[in-house]
Amino acid sequence: FHQLFCHFFRAAMKTLFSSSCASLRATRHYGAGWNARIEDENAERRRRASSSSSSPAVVRVRAKKSGFAAEIMKKKDDDKDDAPSASTTTNSKTNETERCPCGSSRSYKSCCRPYHDLAQYPPDPVTLMKSRFSAYAKGKAKYIVLTTHSENEIRKDGSKTKAGVKVSTLEADVIATCEKVEFYGLKIANDKKKNETEHLVSFSYNCRVRGQKGFDRGREETQSELSTFRKGEDGKWYFLDGIQGA
């Protein structure tokens, strides 16, 4: 049985190989014929154009792509068709009429934007915390820095390695975070006065890594934090530090 199977297998492979070679020869033959046909058509079109116009337009006919090349071109065309036009798209970081990321029922323009524009300053720690979260969602790095207490370690000394080498600043860290992570779904869990100059706010939120070209967005994660806010010498509240997972 094994020898019989091998015999039929070799015969089938020989037939398949012969057929493949014939197909390849035919493909090369018709490919050459197709190119010649295209040149003839181009020449004929140029002749007609020159006879009907003093400034003839050169018309080019391209051979139809097939196989993998066709799939690539189709993918590019599909991407162009699926891409939303600039007139109909709205960047969530700049949209002022959408609901504010801080979780209120008001629009961003009438809620947290005045704080981000420094036209107003949050009157209490909870409002400050919400405006800072909204700033992360909108990419307002300078606002994050301005509302961070001067005693915050990263604002004072920047981000450092374990060896104590400074590698970044607070603003640079915030910019990098806002570019890579989406923030949404803020929920205030509790807030409590610690003393006359410090206040605690606990909250949770959702986030995910932004999709990069060729990659899908990361999975959604829920984070929680306990933040400490401290009054500055000017009487305003500032973010001091936070404990993740609290």
Side-chain angles (χ1 to χ4, degrees):
F1 177 79
H2 178 70
Q3 292 178 347
L4 184 62
F5 171 78
C6 291
H7 171 74
F8 282 112
F9 178 76
R10 285 194 295 269
M13 291 301 296
K14 182 177 180 180
T15 302
L16 179 61
F17 178 75
S18 299
S19 177
S20 298
C21 291
S23 297
L24 180 59
R25 288 193 297 272
T27 299
R28 290 175 178 173
H29 171 74
Y30 290 120
W34 177 254
N35 290 332
R37 178 183 173 185
I38 290 173
E39 291 300 325
D40 293 340
E41 290 184 0
N42 280 337
E44 178 63 20
R45 288 174 182 270
R46 286 194 294 268
R47 186 187 65 76
R48 292 179 181 178
S50 61
S51 62
S52 60
S53 174
S54 58
S55 302
V58 178
V59 180
R60 295 181 175 86
V61 179
R62 295 188 300 174
K64 183 178 179 181
K65 297 182 181 296
S66 61
F68 183 67
E71 290 299 321
I72 294 177
M73 297 304 296
K74 182 177 184 300
K75 180 65 169 61
K76 290 182 178 180
D77 292 340
D78 291 344
D79 291 342
K80 291 179 181 179
D81 294 339
D82 295 340
S85 64
S87 60
T88 58
T89 56
T90 306
N91 190 329
S92 61
K93 286 190 175 183
T94 58
N95 189 354
E96 299 176 359
T97 59
E98 68 178 5
R99 186 173 175 178
C100 190
C102 76
S104 72
S105 58
R106 294 183 294 168
S107 67
Y108 169 67
K109 182 178 181 180
S110 63
C111 189
C112 285
R113 181 183 169 181
Y115 301 136
H116 298 165
D117 290 345
L118 306 182
Q120 302 176 25
Y121 196 87
D124 56 78
V126 174
T127 304
L128 174 60
M129 186 270 129
K130 294 173 71 174
S131 70
R132 284 172 57 87
F133 180 85
S134 180
Y136 272 103
K138 291 291 185 179
K140 304 293 184 179
K142 291 186 180 298
Y143 181 78
I144 297 296
V145 175
L146 290 173
T147 56
T148 299
H149 200 280
S150 59
E151 293 300 313
N152 177 274
E153 291 185 3
I154 298 180
R155 179 170 184 180
K156 283 196 306 180
D157 305 323
S159 298
K160 296 182 177 181
T161 63
K162 292 182 179 180
V165 180
K166 182 177 178 179
V167 294
S168 184
T169 63
L170 174 60
E171 184 173 0
D173 285 352
V174 173
I175 291 174
T177 300
C178 293
E179 289 178 347
K180 297 177 181 178
V181 183
E182 297 177 23
F183 295 93
Y184 54 96
L186 174 65
K187 294 180 181 179
I188 304 297
N190 196 11
D191 71 286
K192 182 180 179 180
K193 178 180 178 181
K194 187 175 180 179
N195 52 48
E196 292 301 321
T197 59
E198 291 189 354
H199 199 98
L200 303 176
V201 180
S202 61
F203 59 94
S204 65
Y205 61 92
N206 298 327
C207 64
R208 71 171 77 225
V209 176
R210 296 183 185 277
Q212 299 180 10
K213 187 174 183 180
F215 297 90
D216 295 331
R217 294 194 305 169
R219 64 181 179 84
E220 180 179 273
E221 295 184 9
T222 299
Q223 303 288 342
S224 60
E225 181 177 326
L226 176 63
S227 294
T228 299
F229 294 85
R230 178 182 291 176
K231 273 189 177 182
E233 295 180 356
D234 56 2
K236 297 178 180 179
W237 289 99
Y238 294 88
F239 169 78
L240 180 62
D241 55 34
I243 303 175
Q244 290 287 337

